[in-house]
Amino acid sequence: MAEEKSFYMTEEGKDNLEQELHELKTEKRKEVVERIKIARGFGDLSENSEYDAAKDEQAFVESRIQQIENMLRNAVIIENDSDNPDVVTLGKTVKFQEIPEGDEEEYTIVGSAEADPFEGKISNDSPMAKSLLGKEIGDKVTVQTPAGDLEVKIIAVS
């Protein structure tokens, strides 16, 4: 049997997934079933686009429910590493500056389940996070990106 992948997430991320799962199971599922019932009333199912759309949405909802249940079943909660406050670890926010004289950027390193670059959260599987993890304030780090190597200096960790 294949080994299940661990999903690293914060307690907040786990709570958000549990809330989404509850909403999908209690509200969204019922809405989709109702849409299917209504679409069946339109007649011939072979040429019924409303029915097809509702069935597609049902498949999406059920797939998402399975995905979230799997993520929660294999969740590993990220604990804040207070023993090493200057070391970049999962769950911490790191501020760095591109060298030479580049812009400062700040990201929180989270598990892939919570990653949202627009919210300042990057996955621990991303090239940036992989390069930063385990490093300390003041370290210069080379990040390998598809566009080429990028050198950054870690300014702060919180």
PDB file of all heavy atoms in Angstrom, residues 83-111:
ATOM      1  N   ASP A  83      12.523  27.523  20.526  1.00  0.00           N
ATOM      2  CA  ASP A  83      13.890  27.265  20.984  1.00  0.00           C
ATOM      3  C   ASP A  83      14.922  27.987  20.120  1.00  0.00           C
ATOM      4  O   ASP A  83      15.982  28.365  20.594  1.00  0.00           O
ATOM      5  CB  ASP A  83      14.199  25.762  20.964  1.00  0.00           C
ATOM      6  CG  ASP A  83      13.369  25.002  21.992  1.00  0.00           C
ATOM      7  OD1 ASP A  83      12.864  25.639  22.936  1.00  0.00           O
ATOM      8  OD2 ASP A  83      13.233  23.775  21.835  1.00  0.00           O
ATOM      9  N   ASN A  84      14.616  28.151  18.829  1.00  0.00           N
ATOM     10  CA  ASN A  84      15.528  28.801  17.892  1.00  0.00           C
ATOM     11  C   ASN A  84      14.802  29.946  17.184  1.00  0.00           C
ATOM     12  O   ASN A  84      14.405  29.807  16.029  1.00  0.00           O
ATOM     13  CB  ASN A  84      16.037  27.792  16.857  1.00  0.00           C
ATOM     14  CG  ASN A  84      16.830  26.671  17.486  1.00  0.00           C
ATOM     15  OD1 ASN A  84      17.726  26.926  18.280  1.00  0.00           O
ATOM     16  ND2 ASN A  84      16.512  25.445  17.139  1.00  0.00           N
ATOM     17  N   PRO A  85      14.632  31.073  17.848  1.00  0.00           N
ATOM     18  CA  PRO A  85      13.828  32.162  17.270  1.00  0.00           C
ATOM     19  C   PRO A  85      14.422  32.779  16.001  1.00  0.00           C
ATOM     20  O   PRO A  85      13.696  33.382  15.221  1.00  0.00           O
ATOM     21  CB  PRO A  85      13.742  33.192  18.393  1.00  0.00           C
ATOM     22  CG  PRO A  85      14.904  32.891  19.286  1.00  0.00           C
ATOM     23  CD  PRO A  85      15.155  31.425  19.168  1.00  0.00           C
ATOM     24  N   ASP A  86      15.723  32.616  15.772  1.00  0.00           N
ATOM     25  CA  ASP A  86      16.358  33.230  14.598  1.00  0.00           C
ATOM     26  C   ASP A  86      16.486  32.277  13.413  1.00  0.00           C
ATOM     27  O   ASP A  86      17.010  32.659  12.373  1.00  0.00           O
ATOM     28  CB  ASP A  86      17.762  33.738  14.972  1.00  0.00           C
ATOM     29  CG  ASP A  86      17.712  34.876  15.984  1.00  0.00           C
ATOM     30  OD1 ASP A  86      16.632  35.475  16.148  1.00  0.00           O
ATOM     31  OD2 ASP A  86      18.748  35.164  16.605  1.00  0.00           O
ATOM     32  N   VAL A  87      16.007  31.034  13.569  1.00  0.00           N
ATOM     33  CA  VAL A  87      16.119  30.032  12.508  1.00  0.00           C
ATOM     34  C   VAL A  87      14.801  29.943  11.751  1.00  0.00           C
ATOM     35  O   VAL A  87      13.722  29.912  12.341  1.00  0.00           O
ATOM     36  CB  VAL A  87      16.496  28.650  13.091  1.00  0.00           C
ATOM     37  CG1 VAL A  87      16.531  27.592  12.011  1.00  0.00           C
ATOM     38  CG2 VAL A  87      17.843  28.731  13.797  1.00  0.00           C
ATOM     39  N   VAL A  88      14.893  29.896  10.423  1.00  0.00           N
ATOM     40  CA  VAL A  88      13.705  29.780   9.579  1.00  0.00           C
ATOM     41  C   VAL A  88      13.197  28.344   9.643  1.00  0.00           C
ATOM     42  O   VAL A  88      13.917  27.408   9.297  1.00  0.00           O
ATOM     43  CB  VAL A  88      14.031  30.153   8.109  1.00  0.00           C
ATOM     44  CG1 VAL A  88      12.791  29.998   7.240  1.00  0.00           C
ATOM     45  CG2 VAL A  88      14.585  31.566   8.012  1.00  0.00           C
ATOM     46  N   THR A  89      11.960  28.184  10.124  1.00  0.00           N
ATOM     47  CA  THR A  89      11.320  26.874  10.174  1.00  0.00           C
ATOM     48  C   THR A  89       9.879  27.015   9.690  1.00  0.00           C
ATOM     49  O   THR A  89       9.379  28.137   9.515  1.00  0.00           O
ATOM     50  CB  THR A  89      11.319  26.292  11.606  1.00  0.00           C
ATOM     51  OG1 THR A  89      10.658  27.211  12.484  1.00  0.00           O
ATOM     52  CG2 THR A  89      12.721  26.028  12.102  1.00  0.00           C
ATOM     53  N   LEU A  90       9.228  25.892   9.500  1.00  0.00           N
ATOM     54  CA  LEU A  90       7.837  25.869   9.080  1.00  0.00           C
ATOM     55  C   LEU A  90       6.983  26.652  10.069  1.00  0.00           C
ATOM     56  O   LEU A  90       7.154  26.528  11.276  1.00  0.00           O
ATOM     57  CB  LEU A  90       7.367  24.409   9.059  1.00  0.00           C
ATOM     58  CG  LEU A  90       6.629  23.938   7.843  1.00  0.00           C
ATOM     59  CD1 LEU A  90       7.455  24.129   6.590  1.00  0.00           C
ATOM     60  CD2 LEU A  90       6.241  22.485   7.971  1.00  0.00           C
ATOM     61  N   GLY A  91       6.097  27.474   9.546  1.00  0.00           N
ATOM     62  CA  GLY A  91       5.204  28.257  10.387  1.00  0.00           C
ATOM     63  C   GLY A  91       5.728  29.636  10.734  1.00  0.00           C
ATOM     64  O   GLY A  91       5.002  30.467  11.275  1.00  0.00           O
ATOM     65  N   LYS A  92       6.982  29.904  10.439  1.00  0.00           N
ATOM     66  CA  LYS A  92       7.557  31.213  10.752  1.00  0.00           C
ATOM     67  C   LYS A  92       7.463  32.147   9.554  1.00  0.00           C
ATOM     68  O   LYS A  92       7.396  31.719   8.405  1.00  0.00           O
ATOM     69  CB  LYS A  92       9.016  31.085  11.191  1.00  0.00           C
ATOM     70  CG  LYS A  92       9.164  30.467  12.569  1.00  0.00           C
ATOM     71  CD  LYS A  92      10.577  30.574  13.053  1.00  0.00           C
ATOM     72  CE  LYS A  92      10.723  30.007  14.447  1.00  0.00           C
ATOM     73  NZ  LYS A  92      12.126  30.006  14.876  1.00  0.00           N
ATOM     74  N   THR A  93       7.503  33.429   9.864  1.00  0.00           N
ATOM     75  CA  THR A  93       7.520  34.469   8.834  1.00  0.00           C
ATOM     76  C   THR A  93       8.953  34.933   8.676  1.00  0.00           C
ATOM     77  O   THR A  93       9.637  35.206   9.660  1.00  0.00           O
ATOM     78  CB  THR A  93       6.610  35.647   9.246  1.00  0.00           C
ATOM     79  OG1 THR A  93       5.281  35.149   9.408  1.00  0.00           O
ATOM     80  CG2 THR A  93       6.615  36.737   8.200  1.00  0.00           C
ATOM     81  N   VAL A  94       9.400  34.989   7.429  1.00  0.00           N
ATOM     82  CA  VAL A  94      10.780  35.384   7.150  1.00  0.00           C
ATOM     83  C   VAL A  94      10.776  36.608   6.234  1.00  0.00           C
ATOM     84  O   VAL A  94      10.022  36.672   5.274  1.00  0.00           O
ATOM     85  CB  VAL A  94      11.593  34.217   6.541  1.00  0.00           C
ATOM     86  CG1 VAL A  94      10.984  33.732   5.247  1.00  0.00           C
ATOM     87  CG2 VAL A  94      13.033  34.595   6.317  1.00  0.00           C
ATOM     88  N   LYS A  95      11.586  37.588   6.605  1.00  0.00           N
ATOM     89  CA  LYS A  95      11.754  38.788   5.777  1.00  0.00           C
ATOM     90  C   LYS A  95      13.152  38.730   5.193  1.00  0.00           C
ATOM     91  O   LYS A  95      14.118  38.476   5.913  1.00  0.00           O
ATOM     92  CB  LYS A  95      11.585  40.056   6.606  1.00  0.00           C
ATOM     93  CG  LYS A  95      11.699  41.338   5.776  1.00  0.00           C
ATOM     94  CD  LYS A  95      11.677  42.576   6.661  1.00  0.00           C
ATOM     95  CE  LYS A  95      10.264  43.001   6.896  1.00  0.00           C
ATOM     96  NZ  LYS A  95      10.184  44.325   7.571  1.00  0.00           N
ATOM     97  N   PHE A  96      13.237  38.946   3.882  1.00  0.00           N
ATOM     98  CA  PHE A  96      14.534  38.901   3.219  1.00  0.00           C
ATOM     99  C   PHE A  96      14.610  39.988   2.173  1.00  0.00           C
ATOM    100  O   PHE A  96      13.606  40.562   1.772  1.00  0.00           O
ATOM    101  CB  PHE A  96      14.788  37.520   2.601  1.00  0.00           C
ATOM    102  CG  PHE A  96      13.744  37.098   1.603  1.00  0.00           C
ATOM    103  CD1 PHE A  96      13.822  37.476   0.272  1.00  0.00           C
ATOM    104  CD2 PHE A  96      12.671  36.328   2.009  1.00  0.00           C
ATOM    105  CE1 PHE A  96      12.857  37.098  -0.636  1.00  0.00           C
ATOM    106  CE2 PHE A  96      11.694  35.934   1.103  1.00  0.00           C
ATOM    107  CZ  PHE A  96      11.786  36.327  -0.221  1.00  0.00           C
ATOM    108  N   GLN A  97      15.859  40.262   1.749  1.00  0.00           N
ATOM    109  CA  GLN A  97      16.103  41.281   0.739  1.00  0.00           C
ATOM    110  C   GLN A  97      16.925  40.662  -0.375  1.00  0.00           C
ATOM    111  O   GLN A  97      17.881  39.925  -0.124  1.00  0.00           O
ATOM    112  CB  GLN A  97      16.871  42.457   1.348  1.00  0.00           C
ATOM    113  CG  GLN A  97      17.147  43.569   0.360  1.00  0.00           C
ATOM    114  CD  GLN A  97      17.866  44.740   1.018  1.00  0.00           C
ATOM    115  OE1 GLN A  97      18.495  44.580   2.057  1.00  0.00           O
ATOM    116  NE2 GLN A  97      17.765  45.896   0.418  1.00  0.00           N
ATOM    117  N   GLU A  98      16.511  40.951  -1.604  1.00  0.00           N
ATOM    118  CA  GLU A  98      17.289  40.480  -2.748  1.00  0.00           C
ATOM    119  C   GLU A  98      18.615  41.230  -2.775  1.00  0.00           C
ATOM    120  O   GLU A  98      18.675  42.413  -2.484  1.00  0.00           O
ATOM    121  CB  GLU A  98      16.529  40.726  -4.050  1.00  0.00           C
ATOM    122  CG  GLU A  98      15.294  39.872  -4.208  1.00  0.00           C
ATOM    123  CD  GLU A  98      14.563  40.129  -5.513  1.00  0.00           C
ATOM    124  OE1 GLU A  98      15.232  40.460  -6.522  1.00  0.00           O
ATOM    125  OE2 GLU A  98      13.340  39.991  -5.517  1.00  0.00           O
ATOM    126  N   ILE A  99      19.681  40.509  -3.109  1.00  0.00           N
ATOM    127  CA  ILE A  99      21.013  41.106  -3.171  1.00  0.00           C
ATOM    128  C   ILE A  99      21.368  41.311  -4.641  1.00  0.00           C
ATOM    129  O   ILE A  99      21.159  40.411  -5.446  1.00  0.00           O
ATOM    130  CB  ILE A  99      22.044  40.184  -2.483  1.00  0.00           C
ATOM    131  CG1 ILE A  99      21.662  40.017  -1.008  1.00  0.00           C
ATOM    132  CG2 ILE A  99      23.443  40.734  -2.630  1.00  0.00           C
ATOM    133  CD1 ILE A  99      22.522  39.022  -0.271  1.00  0.00           C
ATOM    134  N   PRO A 100      21.934  42.388  -5.043  1.00  0.00           N
ATOM    135  CA  PRO A 100      22.234  43.602  -4.270  1.00  0.00           C
ATOM    136  C   PRO A 100      21.074  44.589  -4.328  1.00  0.00           C
ATOM    137  O   PRO A 100      20.431  44.742  -5.350  1.00  0.00           O
ATOM    138  CB  PRO A 100      23.461  44.163  -4.991  1.00  0.00           C
ATOM    139  CG  PRO A 100      23.262  43.771  -6.426  1.00  0.00           C
ATOM    140  CD  PRO A 100      22.526  42.454  -6.398  1.00  0.00           C
ATOM    141  N   GLU A 101      20.827  45.208  -3.240  1.00  0.00           N
ATOM    142  CA  GLU A 101      19.878  46.328  -3.125  1.00  0.00           C
ATOM    143  C   GLU A 101      18.519  46.069  -3.758  1.00  0.00           C
ATOM    144  O   GLU A 101      17.949  46.921  -4.423  1.00  0.00           O
ATOM    145  CB  GLU A 101      20.489  47.589  -3.736  1.00  0.00           C
ATOM    146  CG  GLU A 101      21.784  47.984  -3.081  1.00  0.00           C
ATOM    147  CD  GLU A 101      22.515  49.070  -3.860  1.00  0.00           C
ATOM    148  OE1 GLU A 101      21.864  49.832  -4.577  1.00  0.00           O
ATOM    149  OE2 GLU A 101      23.735  49.134  -3.723  1.00  0.00           O
ATOM    150  N   GLY A 102      17.988  44.898  -3.550  1.00  0.00           N
ATOM    151  CA  GLY A 102      16.665  44.586  -4.081  1.00  0.00           C
ATOM    152  C   GLY A 102      15.570  44.924  -3.091  1.00  0.00           C
ATOM    153  O   GLY A 102      15.809  45.461  -2.018  1.00  0.00           O
ATOM    154  N   ASP A 103      14.363  44.608  -3.481  1.00  0.00           N
ATOM    155  CA  ASP A 103      13.210  44.864  -2.623  1.00  0.00           C
ATOM    156  C   ASP A 103      13.197  43.887  -1.449  1.00  0.00           C
ATOM    157  O   ASP A 103      13.661  42.772  -1.549  1.00  0.00           O
ATOM    158  CB  ASP A 103      11.906  44.677  -3.413  1.00  0.00           C
ATOM    159  CG  ASP A 103      11.763  45.697  -4.531  1.00  0.00           C
ATOM    160  OD1 ASP A 103      12.370  46.786  -4.423  1.00  0.00           O
ATOM    161  OD2 ASP A 103      11.040  45.402  -5.501  1.00  0.00           O
ATOM    162  N   GLU A 104      12.608  44.350  -0.355  1.00  0.00           N
ATOM    163  CA  GLU A 104      12.385  43.456   0.779  1.00  0.00           C
ATOM    164  C   GLU A 104      11.079  42.717   0.545  1.00  0.00           C
ATOM    165  O   GLU A 104      10.108  43.293   0.055  1.00  0.00           O
ATOM    166  CB  GLU A 104      12.293  44.258   2.089  1.00  0.00           C
ATOM    167  CG  GLU A 104      13.619  44.763   2.581  1.00  0.00           C
ATOM    168  CD  GLU A 104      13.521  45.420   3.960  1.00  0.00           C
ATOM    169  OE1 GLU A 104      12.440  45.355   4.594  1.00  0.00           O
ATOM    170  OE2 GLU A 104      14.517  45.999   4.391  1.00  0.00           O
ATOM    171  N   GLU A 105      11.070  41.453   0.887  1.00  0.00           N
ATOM    172  CA  GLU A 105       9.863  40.651   0.783  1.00  0.00           C
ATOM    173  C   GLU A 105       9.691  39.875   2.073  1.00  0.00           C
ATOM    174  O   GLU A 105      10.665  39.578   2.769  1.00  0.00           O
ATOM    175  CB  GLU A 105       9.949  39.683  -0.401  1.00  0.00           C
ATOM    176  CG  GLU A 105      10.018  40.379  -1.739  1.00  0.00           C
ATOM    177  CD  GLU A 105      10.047  39.408  -2.907  1.00  0.00           C
ATOM    178  OE1 GLU A 105       9.281  38.434  -2.875  1.00  0.00           O
ATOM    179  OE2 GLU A 105      10.847  39.633  -3.825  1.00  0.00           O
ATOM    180  N   GLU A 106       8.436  39.546   2.385  1.00  0.00           N
ATOM    181  CA  GLU A 106       8.144  38.827   3.617  1.00  0.00           C
ATOM    182  C   GLU A 106       7.120  37.739   3.324  1.00  0.00           C
ATOM    183  O   GLU A 106       6.092  38.002   2.696  1.00  0.00           O
ATOM    184  CB  GLU A 106       7.592  39.808   4.655  1.00  0.00           C
ATOM    185  CG  GLU A 106       7.305  39.183   5.998  1.00  0.00           C
ATOM    186  CD  GLU A 106       6.889  40.217   7.026  1.00  0.00           C
ATOM    187  OE1 GLU A 106       7.780  40.820   7.651  1.00  0.00           O
ATOM    188  OE2 GLU A 106       5.671  40.412   7.192  1.00  0.00           O
ATOM    189  N   TYR A 107       7.419  36.512   3.766  1.00  0.00           N
ATOM    190  CA  TYR A 107       6.523  35.378   3.557  1.00  0.00           C
ATOM    191  C   TYR A 107       6.474  34.516   4.805  1.00  0.00           C
ATOM    192  O   TYR A 107       7.460  34.407   5.527  1.00  0.00           O
ATOM    193  CB  TYR A 107       7.006  34.497   2.393  1.00  0.00           C
ATOM    194  CG  TYR A 107       6.898  35.162   1.045  1.00  0.00           C
ATOM    195  CD1 TYR A 107       8.024  35.675   0.416  1.00  0.00           C
ATOM    196  CD2 TYR A 107       5.671  35.277   0.406  1.00  0.00           C
ATOM    197  CE1 TYR A 107       7.935  36.281  -0.826  1.00  0.00           C
ATOM    198  CE2 TYR A 107       5.569  35.885  -0.835  1.00  0.00           C
ATOM    199  CZ  TYR A 107       6.702  36.382  -1.448  1.00  0.00           C
ATOM    200  OH  TYR A 107       6.604  36.996  -2.671  1.00  0.00           O
ATOM    201  N   THR A 108       5.335  33.890   5.013  1.00  0.00           N
ATOM    202  CA  THR A 108       5.203  32.876   6.044  1.00  0.00           C
ATOM    203  C   THR A 108       5.308  31.527   5.347  1.00  0.00           C
ATOM    204  O   THR A 108       4.652  31.305   4.328  1.00  0.00           O
ATOM    205  CB  THR A 108       3.851  33.005   6.773  1.00  0.00           C
ATOM    206  OG1 THR A 108       3.760  34.309   7.350  1.00  0.00           O
ATOM    207  CG2 THR A 108       3.718  31.959   7.867  1.00  0.00           C
ATOM    208  N   ILE A 109       6.133  30.644   5.889  1.00  0.00           N
ATOM    209  CA  ILE A 109       6.317  29.331   5.286  1.00  0.00           C
ATOM    210  C   ILE A 109       5.323  28.359   5.920  1.00  0.00           C
ATOM    211  O   ILE A 109       5.336  28.146   7.137  1.00  0.00           O
ATOM    212  CB  ILE A 109       7.764  28.832   5.459  1.00  0.00           C
ATOM    213  CG1 ILE A 109       8.733  29.832   4.785  1.00  0.00           C
ATOM    214  CG2 ILE A 109       7.926  27.437   4.870  1.00  0.00           C
ATOM    215  CD1 ILE A 109      10.191  29.521   4.955  1.00  0.00           C
ATOM    216  N   VAL A 110       4.449  27.839   5.084  1.00  0.00           N
ATOM    217  CA  VAL A 110       3.383  26.945   5.535  1.00  0.00           C
ATOM    218  C   VAL A 110       3.406  25.670   4.685  1.00  0.00           C
ATOM    219  O   VAL A 110       4.156  25.566   3.721  1.00  0.00           O
ATOM    220  CB  VAL A 110       2.004  27.632   5.419  1.00  0.00           C
ATOM    221  CG1 VAL A 110       1.911  28.836   6.357  1.00  0.00           C
ATOM    222  CG2 VAL A 110       1.709  28.052   3.988  1.00  0.00           C
ATOM    223  N   GLY A 111       2.561  24.728   5.027  1.00  0.00           N
ATOM    224  CA  GLY A 111       2.425  23.522   4.225  1.00  0.00           C
ATOM    225  C   GLY A 111       1.700  23.821   2.929  1.00  0.00           C
ATOM    226  O   GLY A 111       1.055  24.862   2.777  1.00  0.00           O
TER     227      GLY A 111
END
